[in-house]
Amino acid sequence: MFAMIGTWEMSLQGLVLGGRTLQKGGDAGDAVVEAIQYVESNPDYVSVGFGGLPAIDGQVYLDAAYMNGDTLQCGAILSCTEVSSPVAAARALCGRKTNWMLCGESAKQFARSQGIPLRDMRTEPSQKRWKEAVEQKKADEASVPYKGHDTVCVLGLDSHNHMVCGTSTSGLFLKEPGRIGDSPIPGCGYYCDTRYGAAAATGLGEDIMRGCLSYEIVSRMRSGQTAQEAAEGALLDFVRTMDRLEEKDLSISLIALAPDGSFGAATTEKLFPFTVALPSGVRLFSCSPDGDHMNILQTSSVTLDA
């Protein structure tokens, strides 16, 4: 048995590649990194990697993380420029006792030392988007710079019962340089414990970090909840807490994967697409809120045949 789950439709082709690796008996870590790298290298996906969303100064700052569920070891890079595969750098850091979370220039130099190519991650379309947004912001100071969330998160389970998770993002559009969201922070943007399961979050990081939502999901699975029950329960309880604080309009989506390959998702969005790779193929699902529950529907599928 193997399984992978990824956020957003942009993860579909990456899960096809990673799913083929798992189908051949490959390692979950290799499959997860392969899936995320496909998104990182594709400039059509404007919120991750090459061609990602620029900060207010026009530069593309990258965050990524990787966690080994067998050892609970993590690796992460934060607010880093020019690293062609942030998730590869994060994986290379995983296993260190100390200094496994690096930011800025230190992260870039570490990536270079690992043979990860450096490149200017800005593209013509991303710079055009940035210039237009800056002009609009000047014209309307009340405007919100970015609505939505598009971190790529992938959770993986291989046939050897090894679980890992990875995340990669360029973060909030027009963010202040140095701003960090949930994606590289363990327990918030991701968490993985092979004994109980894995979870990851995509959304407004400042809110997700207030609930440590990925750890909360895995904790609920440790208590016996299914992946779907854990994702739904963690999100709904957090929404109720924020309601009590009179904070509305949350932008959060969550995915979860159990050690038996079952999965779950939850969202505050009207529609949250996510993808799942199983031996039967890769499926695209939609998740939407329905009162205290989530409606999850399969919308399409592709095979893992090469």
Side-chain angles (χ1 to χ4, degrees):
M1 175 61 193
F2 66 81
M4 298 177 74
I5 180 170
T7 53
W8 309 106
E9 188 172 355
M10 66 180 169
S11 67
L12 191 146
Q13 187 57 41
L15 260 67
V16 170
L17 299 175
R20 288 172 182 166
T21 295
L22 295 179
Q23 191 176 50
K24 297 172 184 174
D27 177 70
D30 293 338
V32 165
V33 169
E34 186 176 22
I36 292 175
Q37 284 181 322
Y38 177 83
V39 182
E40 288 177 334
S41 63
N42 192 328
D44 292 336
Y45 304 129
V46 301
S47 58
V48 177
F50 185 54
L53 293 165
I56 191 67
D57 64 356
Q59 183 58 266
V60 176
Y61 297 94
L62 304 162
D63 305 321
Y66 177 92
M67 185 169 185
N68 182 330
D70 293 353
T71 64
L72 304 184
Q73 291 174 314
C74 306
I77 66 168
L78 298 73
S79 196
C80 181
T81 63
E82 299 181 21
V83 175
S84 60
S85 178
V87 74
R91 187 187 189 187
L93 285 164
C94 183
R96 287 183 165 196
K97 182 67 174 177
T98 60
N99 300 299
W100 55 260
M101 182 179 284
L102 299 179
C103 69
E105 190 64 24
S106 293
K108 182 164 71 173
Q109 294 310 315
F110 172 78
R112 187 202 300 269
S113 76
Q114 297 299 301
I116 298 169
L118 302 184
R119 69 184 301 186
D120 189 340
M121 301 299 274
R122 296 171 293 185
T123 62
E124 229 176 273
S126 76
Q127 290 301 286
K128 182 174 184 289
R129 187 180 299 110
W130 165 68
K131 289 176 183 176
E132 290 174 350
V134 167
E135 289 304 313
Q136 181 182 354
K137 188 173 174 61
K138 287 178 181 176
D140 179 11
E141 286 298 328
S143 67
V144 177
Y146 179 58
K147 171 66 174 170
H149 48 284
D150 301 294
T151 300
V152 61
C153 309
V154 179
L155 315 175
L157 165 72
D158 64 29
S159 57
H160 310 290
N161 299 316
H162 172 48
M163 294 190 79
V164 306
C165 62
T167 67
S168 186
T169 186
S170 58
L172 195 69
F173 188 28
L174 300 189
K175 65 186 177 183
E176 294 183 22
R179 177 264 186 190
I180 305 298
D182 65 298
S183 298
I185 308 300
C188 299
Y190 63 96
Y191 199 77
C192 182
D193 186 327
T194 298
R195 297 170 297 174
Y196 311 116
T202 172
L204 183 60
E206 284 81 352
D207 285 341
I208 293 168
M209 288 188 284
R210 295 166 73 181
C212 299
L213 292 176
S214 293
Y215 182 82
E216 175 66 17
I217 292 171
V218 175
S219 178
R220 286 168 180 257
M221 289 194 283
R222 183 176 64 235
S223 299
Q225 292 187 2
T226 67
Q228 184 58 42
E229 290 169 343
E232 279 190 17
L235 183 60
L236 291 172
D237 280 357
F238 184 67
V239 168
R240 293 187 189 105
T241 296
M242 298 300 276
D243 280 344
R244 179 176 58 80
L245 298 173
E246 299 184 353
E247 296 194 34
K248 311 289 185 181
D249 300 322
L250 300 179
S251 185
I252 299 172
S253 298
L254 306 170
I255 55 173
L257 181 66
D260 65 359
S262 60
F263 58 89
T267 187
T268 62
E269 299 293 310
K270 290 182 179 178
L271 185 67
F272 166 52
F274 66 96
T275 60
V276 176
L278 297 167
S280 57
V282 181
R283 307 173 190 174
L284 176 64
F285 290 87
S286 66
C287 176
S288 57
D290 183 11
D292 286 343
H293 298 284
M294 298 288 154
N295 279 331
I296 295 180
L297 300 172
Q298 180 177 328
T299 58
S300 65
S301 65
V302 296
T303 69
L304 288 173
D305 296 336

